């Protein structure tokens, strides 16, 4: 099937039909982190918990290496990844921003402040 | 007759939940945002709305991708705040305005808006934080109607469609036979982006134009597609759709009771407006 070319916005990955299909297992695992018992189970054995939800090797690797851009490329939706980052790993959105943009957290925060000037 | 007495729109940054919990309102980082609320508290004390109709987006608490509605309405007797995995303390439950919720639901469906109806509903920070900002003691003096807009899975409902749904909600409120003072809330935004190489994107110029349009040209932002909005306001800046639903509920002009704007709160251009029908 030939599909129409998608509009892309540089640096702004879109959580669309393709991402939702690709990332369903990953996002379902992250959705489970609404429960503390599940967060604790993930922490006790990350890979086993990933496999329980049927994540594939690329998704498991992105989880274990804390590769945020990688998690997005294998279908992670940011609101679901946020439960992993915030609720499980204790990272805030400036940590996540710095990890994705290749700067330090302080540099990332300075950029946010500069956007107000 | 039910009557809309105001529209309150505000950002709902999850980190605000932690700041509220830790009483950081006067901390230099948070103060510029929380300082927007005393004028709103004074207005609430004076006007005393009975019901809040809150237009917001769920982030994976009540809805997951197994079933992702474009528009949903909560008719539940109790709207429950619970663990949403982001580390935000939960709040006391919110009483649902069941009669008005069912009335709006019936009216919207007859008006061609295919709402998903929720007789049980969990509400996440996008619903709870505006409430806690308005009533910091978290003793809710109002009943609520949650109206949920999909901003999770693209394509999103268009800005034009969101505004039109707001118009339909406004008509439904106007035709509700019981006396009630209704405050409409629009939750989310303004420009911010959490994911991707452009994470941290903020567009002050667009945000200020958008806030001006809420008063002077309410349909200005309806020209933009969902992807246009991502480009201009960041992936999560699209939450301004909730502001458009809220603004659509008042057909005529509005005046500004209060407006504030501060960059940044977390990754977000944080904005608050309180508008009154003229």
């Amino acid at each position: 099937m030939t599909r129409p070319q998608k509009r892309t916005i540089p640096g702004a990955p879109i959580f669309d039909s393709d991402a939702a299909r690709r990332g369903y297992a990953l996002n379902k695992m992250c959705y489970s982190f609404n429960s503390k018992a599940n967060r604790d189970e993930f922490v006790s054995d990350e890979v086993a918990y990933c496999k329980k939800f049927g994540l594939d090797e690329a998704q498991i690797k992105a989880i274990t290496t804390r590769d945020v851009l990688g998690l997005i490329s294998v279908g992670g939706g940011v609101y679901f990844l946020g439960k992993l980052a915030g609720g499980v790993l204790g990272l805030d959105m400036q940590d996540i921003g710095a990890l994705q943009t290749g700067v330090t957290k302080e540099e990332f925060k300075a950029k946010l402040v500069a956007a107000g000037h | 007759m039910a009557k809309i007495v105001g529209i309150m729109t505000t950002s709902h940054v999850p980190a605000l939940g932690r700041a509220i919990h830790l009483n950081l309102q006067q901390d230099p980082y948070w103060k510029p945002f929380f300082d927007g609320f005393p004028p709103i508290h004074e207005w609430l004390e004076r006007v005393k709305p009975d019901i809040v109709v809150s237009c917001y987006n769920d982030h994976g608490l009540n809805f997951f991708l197994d079933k992702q509605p474009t528009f949903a309405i909560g008719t539940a007797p109790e709207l429950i705040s619970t663990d949403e995995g982001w580390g935000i303390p939960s709040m006391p439950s919110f009483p649902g305005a069941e009669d008005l919720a069912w009335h709006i639901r019936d009216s919207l469906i007859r008006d061609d808006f295919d709402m998903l109806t929720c007789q049980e509903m969990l509400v996440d920070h996008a619903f709870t934080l505006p409430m806690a900002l308005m009533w910091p003691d978290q003793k809710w003096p109002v009943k609520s109607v949650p109206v949920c807009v999909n901003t999770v899975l693209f394509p999103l409902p268009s800005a034009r469609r969101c505004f039109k749904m707001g118009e339909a909600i406004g008509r439904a409120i106007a035709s509700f036979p019981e006396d009630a003072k209704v405050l409409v809330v629009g939750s989310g935004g303004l420009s911010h982006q959490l994911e991707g190489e452009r994470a941290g994107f903020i567009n002050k110029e667009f945000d200020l134009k958008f806030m001006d349009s809420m008063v002077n040209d309410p349909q200005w932002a309806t020209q933009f597609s969902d992807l246009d909005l991502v480009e201009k306001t960041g992936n999560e800046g699209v939450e301004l759709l909730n502001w458009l639903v809220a603004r659509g509920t008042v057909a005529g002009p509005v005046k500004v009771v209060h407006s504030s704007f501060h960059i940044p709160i977390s990754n977000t251009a944080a904005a608050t407006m309180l508008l009154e029908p003229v």
Side-chain angles (χ1 to χ4, degrees):
Chain A
M1 186 179 78
T2 307
R3 302 179 64 185
Q5 192 167 0
K6 283 204 276 191
R7 174 177 168 190
T8 56
I9 299 161
I14 302 299
F15 188 73
D16 60 7
S17 307
D18 291 327
R21 290 171 73 176
R22 174 73 184 92
Y24 190 74
L26 168 62
N27 292 316
K28 188 168 180 178
M29 180 182 82
C30 291
Y31 176 66
S32 80
F33 296 145
N34 284 349
S35 147
K36 183 170 188 307
N38 291 336
R39 297 194 289 269
D40 291 346
E41 187 181 336
F42 172 85
V43 169
S44 73
D45 188 340
E46 293 190 10
V47 173
Y49 196 79
C50 289
K51 286 183 174 167
K52 183 173 155 181
F53 279 82
L55 271 64
D56 65 24
E57 288 303 319
Q59 290 169 330
I60 293 173
K61 184 175 175 219
I63 290 277
T64 55
T65 58
R66 308 293 189 251
D67 177 3
V68 181
L69 292 175
L71 284 165
I72 291 166
S73 74
V74 293
V78 74
Y79 292 142
F80 305 105
L81 296 176
K83 298 174 194 290
L84 170 67
V88 181
L89 304 177
L91 302 174
D92 65 27
M93 280 302 166
Q94 292 75 58
D95 293 312
I96 300 296
L99 283 170
Q100 294 177 97
T101 55
V103 298
T104 66
K105 184 175 184 179
E106 289 313 311
E107 287 167 339
F108 187 79
K109 288 169 84 166
K111 185 181 124 178
L112 293 168
V113 170
H117 298 150
Chain B
M1 298 293 284
K3 182 171 178 251
I4 295 174
V5 292
I7 300 170
M8 200 286 289
T9 55
T10 185
S11 305
H12 63 224
V13 181
L16 289 168
R18 186 175 158 275
I20 290 170
H21 186 65
L22 298 176
N23 277 315
L24 299 177
Q25 290 88 342
Q26 294 304 311
D27 177 273
Y29 182 84
W30 298 102
K31 187 174 164 52
F33 180 76
F34 284 100
D35 275 356
F37 281 85
I40 293 173
H41 299 155
E42 286 164 26
W43 183 89
L44 289 168
E45 189 55 38
R46 182 162 51 81
V47 176
K48 293 188 168 40
D50 306 299
I51 297 176
V52 164
V53 173
S54 182
C55 312
Y56 75 106
N57 56 299
D58 182 86
H59 305 70
L61 179 66
N62 195 62
F63 300 115
F64 177 59
L65 299 165
D66 58 338
K67 305 172 193 73
Q68 180 64 59
T70 296
F71 294 127
I73 184 165
T75 58
E78 184 183 19
L79 309 162
I80 297 169
S81 162
T82 186
D83 189 347
E84 55 183 287
W86 292 64
I88 305 167
S90 55
M91 295 182 196
S93 292
F94 302 82
E98 292 175 81
D99 292 344
L100 179 60
W102 283 107
H103 173 80
I104 293 175
R105 179 253 176 205
D106 293 354
S107 180
L108 284 176
I109 292 172
R110 292 206 171 95
D111 225 343
D112 295 338
F113 289 89
D114 305 318
M115 310 304 291
L116 179 101
T117 308
C118 302
Q119 285 192 255
E120 295 183 38
M121 200 164 198
L122 305 177
V123 286
D124 77 359
H125 64 273
F127 178 92
T128 64
L129 288 175
M131 298 295 280
L133 289 165
M134 289 191 287
W135 292 287
D137 64 3
Q138 299 187 15
K139 292 174 183 157
W140 319 121
V142 292
K143 294 182 174 181
S144 296
V145 180
V147 176
C148 187
V149 176
N150 165 40
T151 65
V152 174
L153 174 56
F154 284 71
L156 310 180
S158 71
R160 187 169 307 281
R161 181 82 174 145
C162 288
F163 192 89
K164 284 181 180 297
M165 184 172 73
E167 292 177 321
I169 293 170
R171 289 192 293 274
I173 292 170
S175 68
F176 186 61
E178 293 171 29
D179 284 338
K181 289 179 280 187
V182 178
L183 172 63
V184 180
V185 168
S187 173
L190 290 177
S191 63
H192 64 301
Q193 180 172 331
L194 306 177
E195 69 269 58
E197 295 86 347
R198 206 183 65 162
F201 176 80
I202 284 174
N203 188 343
K204 180 179 177 179
E205 187 183 348
F206 182 91
D207 290 337
L208 293 175
K209 170 65 189 163
F210 176 67
M211 290 174 77
D212 179 72
S213 78
M214 286 286 285
V215 182
N216 295 313
D217 189 4
Q219 299 204 43
W220 173 74
T222 64
Q223 68 183 291
F224 301 117
S225 72
D226 56 356
L227 295 180
D228 290 339
L229 290 175
V230 169
E231 187 168 58
K232 291 175 191 308
T233 76
N235 291 52
E236 285 68 47
V238 300
E239 290 169 342
L240 67 79
L241 292 175
N242 301 318
W243 289 44
L244 286 176
V245 177
R247 180 61 185 86
T249 62
V250 173
V254 295
K255 68 174 181 186
V256 179
V257 178
H258 178 75
S259 176
S260 58
F261 181 73
H262 173 71
I263 297 173
I265 290 295
S266 189
N267 289 17
T268 302
T272 304
M273 296 182 88
L274 177 58
L275 309 172
E276 243 178 11
V278 176

